[in-house]
Amino acid sequence: MIAERAILIPNSAIRQFFNLAQGMENVNDLTIGAPDFETPEYIVKSAVKASLEGHHYYSANAGIMPLRKAIAAKLERDNGISYDPETEIDVTIGATEALGLLMMTLLNPGDEVILADPTWPNYITQILMAGGVPVRVPTFEKDGFSLQVDAVEEAITERTKAILINSPNNPTGAILDRESVKGFVELARKHGLYLISDEVYEKIIYDQNQHFSPASLPDTKDFVITVNSFSKSYAMCGWRVGYVAASEKVITPLLKLQEGMASCANTMAQMAAVTALEGPQDAVNEMVKRYRARRDLMVEGLNKIPGISVEKPGGAFYLFVNVKGLGKSSQEIATELLQKTGVMTVPGSGFGSAGEGFLRICYAKNDELLQKALERIHDVVIKDYCPA
Ligand SMILES: Cc1ncc(COP(=O)(O)O)c(C=O)c1O
C-alpha cells in the first residue's frame, strides 16, 4: 500500500495543464515560471571549465566553501545580513530543496505553517511531506494581494510553528513593503515562531518597489530564515542551485537531513553559481528591463479585453488576471482557452481557493509568443464570451 502522505498530496495545477497540452500543436505556453533567457555565457563557461578541470566529486553537504563565502558576501552587500559561511549557510538543490528540508527540520506532525492564499503549490506539498499542516490566509486583489499582518495574527494557534512569506510573490507578483515585513518579524518574535522568507524573486522587482529582507532587522537570527536561489535572478532554473541561511541551530540538523536526501548540490553548478555572484550583474539588469517591458505589454493588452482586468504587479514575472467578468470558473476558462486557442494559463484555483476567478499568466516568454497569446485570448473572448 502506498503511504497516506503520497496520496494526500494534491497534483500540481501547473503540471495538470502542462499534461493536458501534451500532443497539441501550436501551443502558447504561459504556465511554468521559468525564464526564457539563457544563462549568461560567462556563467556557462565557468561550469564547462570546472567540468574539464575534473571537479566531479561530491562537495561538503553545505556546499563548496567559495560559494558559501560568495553567498555570505552577497547577503551582506544586497540584503544587509551577516551570516557565517562556515555554519550558517547551506547550498541546496534549488530553493525547492531548501524549503523541503526546512519543513522537515522544523515541523513535528501536526505543526502548522501560515502562508498566503493563493500560494505557490509546492509549499503545500513540502509542508504535507513533513507531516505539517498548511494554514492558508486569504489575500485580496484590493490589497494588491499582499499578505496582511493582522490576518496572519488571527490565524495563529498553539500549533503554529512558522510563518512563510514570499516577496515578490508567486503567483500574484505582490510585494511586501518594509512595514509589513517588520510587522511579520514582530509577530514571529512575539509568538515564538519561525519566519521563513522565500526571496527567490528579489531581483525581479520594478518601478519604485524595493526588496526588504526580514533577517536584516536586528536580533532576528534565532528565528528568521532566508531562502534564495539562482534560478530566477540568473536564468539558472535547470542548474538547480539555491540556498538557505539561518542560525547554526537550524542549519546543523538540516544538514543531516540533506545527507539523507541528496548529499549535496551539483558541484559544477555550484562553481557556476560562484561566477554568477562574483561576475558582472549587467545581464540581470537587462533581463529585468525586458521583463518590465513584457509586463507592461501584457497588462495593457489584457486590460483592453472585455471581462478581463489586471493590476500591474510590483515584481516576479507573473500576472494574476481577474477573469470574473467572463462568468465561468477559472478551471473552465483555462481549459477552454487551451482547447480553443492553444493558450496555456493556470487556473487561479490551483493556487488556493482565494485564487478562484483569476488566471496566472507567466510572462517570462518571448515578445512574439506574448503578442500572439494576447491576440488569441482577445479573439476567443470576443467570439465565445461576449456575444453581440
Ligand atoms: C516562490 C518560489 N519559491 C521557490 C521556487 C523554487 O525555485 P528553485 O528553482 O530554486 O527550486 C519557485 C519556483 O518557481 C518559486 O516560485
Side-chain angles (χ1 to χ4, degrees):
M1 277 291 267
I2 297 297
E4 278 172 23
R5 175 190 316 114
I7 295 166
L8 195 75
I9 288 165
N11 286 321
S12 156
I14 307 172
R15 289 286 167 183
Q16 275 174 28
F17 268 76
F18 208 71
N19 296 343
L20 257 186
Q22 294 315 302
M24 286 179 68
E25 279 179 17
N26 204 7
V27 166
N28 281 179
D29 180 2
L30 306 179
T31 58
I32 303 258
D36 65 313
F37 298 117
E38 285 178 10
T39 305
E41 197 176 309
Y42 64 93
I43 300 176
V44 178
K45 280 187 173 155
S46 74
V48 172
K49 183 165 172 279
S51 181
L52 289 172
E53 286 173 356
H55 295 283
H56 304 150
Y57 43 80
Y58 292 117
S59 75
N61 293 135
I64 58 172
M65 189 44 87
L67 180 54
R68 281 187 272 156
K69 284 189 174 158
I71 291 169
K74 178 262 176 230
L75 288 167
E76 188 87 57
R77 184 176 64 236
D78 293 355
N79 309 92
I81 321 174
S82 291
Y83 284 109
D84 181 351
E86 293 278 353
T87 53
E88 296 178 334
I89 292 173
D90 175 34
V91 177
T92 52
I93 305 176
T96 303
E97 194 202 16
L99 289 157
L101 289 175
L102 267 176
M103 298 309 168
M104 305 276 264
T105 305
L106 302 181
L107 304 182
N108 284 314
D111 283 348
E112 296 172 358
V113 179
I114 300 177
L115 73 175
D117 184 344
T119 191
W120 185 49
N122 293 35
Y123 295 140
I124 304 297
T125 306
Q126 288 154 346
I127 296 166
L128 292 174
M129 273 169 64
V133 179
V135 175
R136 300 164 182 255
V137 170
T139 59
F140 300 98
E141 194 180 27
K142 69 175 173 50
D143 303 318
F145 290 105
S146 269
L147 186 62
Q148 303 293 303
V149 178
D150 297 354
V152 168
E153 183 152 33
E154 275 174 33
I156 294 174
T157 71
E158 59 194 17
R159 290 312 306 262
T160 308
K161 196 68 174 282
I163 301 168
L164 197 167
I165 57 174
N166 167 224
S167 175
N169 182 274
N170 176 10
T172 63
I175 307 282
L176 288 174
D177 63 20
R178 192 175 279 258
E179 282 316 303
S180 305
V181 173
K182 281 185 181 165
F184 288 119
V185 166
E186 289 322 314
L187 204 56
R189 197 193 302 276
K190 180 168 135 196
H191 292 272
L193 307 174
Y194 288 104
L195 179 65
I196 303 170
S197 178
D198 176 352
E199 307 186 3
V200 301
Y201 295 100
E202 70 162 336
K203 299 277 179 204
I204 305 172
I205 195 156
Y206 314 114
D207 313 326
Q208 76 293 355
N209 293 294
Q210 281 184 347
H211 177 70
F212 181 62
S213 297
S216 64
L217 292 167
D219 304 323
T220 51
K221 187 154 296 168
D222 280 350
F223 63 98
V224 176
I225 299 170
T226 306
V227 173
N228 211 326
S229 167
F230 293 81
S231 292
K232 318 289 176 176
S233 307
Y234 297 98
M236 288 178 71
C237 295
W239 297 74
R240 311 305 301 126
V241 191
Y243 55 94
V244 46
S247 74
E248 192 176 348
K249 282 192 194 136
V250 171
I251 296 295
T252 303
L254 187 141
L255 288 174
K256 285 194 293 179
L257 300 185
Q258 187 168 26
E259 171 60 17
M261 202 59 89
S263 292
C264 63
N266 175 304
T267 308
M268 288 155 282
Q270 292 189 55
M271 291 186 151
V274 176
T275 308
L277 288 179
E278 293 182 345
Q281 302 296 301
D282 316 356
V284 181
N285 300 334
E286 182 55 30
M287 285 189 270
V288 174
K289 209 166 107 193
R290 303 224 348 234
Y291 288 139
R292 185 189 302 114
R294 292 165 177 189
R295 175 199 64 168
D296 294 349
L297 168 87
M298 291 304 283
V299 167
E300 199 183 316
L302 287 164
N303 278 326
K304 284 187 186 145
I305 302 174
I308 293 184
S309 63
V310 60
E311 298 289 331
K312 245 183 211 181
F317 37 53
Y318 306 102
L319 299 177
F320 213 56
V321 183
N322 187 327
V323 290
K324 291 179 185 169
L326 301 183
K328 290 190 179 173
S329 74
S330 60
Q331 178 80 21
E332 286 169 314
I333 296 168
T335 310
E336 289 181 9
L337 277 184
L338 175 60
Q339 287 169 345
K340 293 182 179 176
T341 71
V343 175
M344 268 166 87
T345 59
V346 188
S349 54
F351 300 92
S353 55
E356 181 46 40
F358 297 85
L359 297 179
R360 190 191 78 169
I361 284 182
C362 171
Y363 55 85
K365 311 288 163 189
N366 72 57
D367 297 2
E368 200 187 327
L369 185 149
L370 293 175
Q371 193 64 53
K372 178 128 284 133
L374 274 178
E375 284 163 21
R376 289 177 172 186
I377 299 172
H378 174 270
D379 292 353
V380 78
V381 168
I382 297 296
K383 183 165 160 288
D384 292 348
Y385 291 84
C386 305

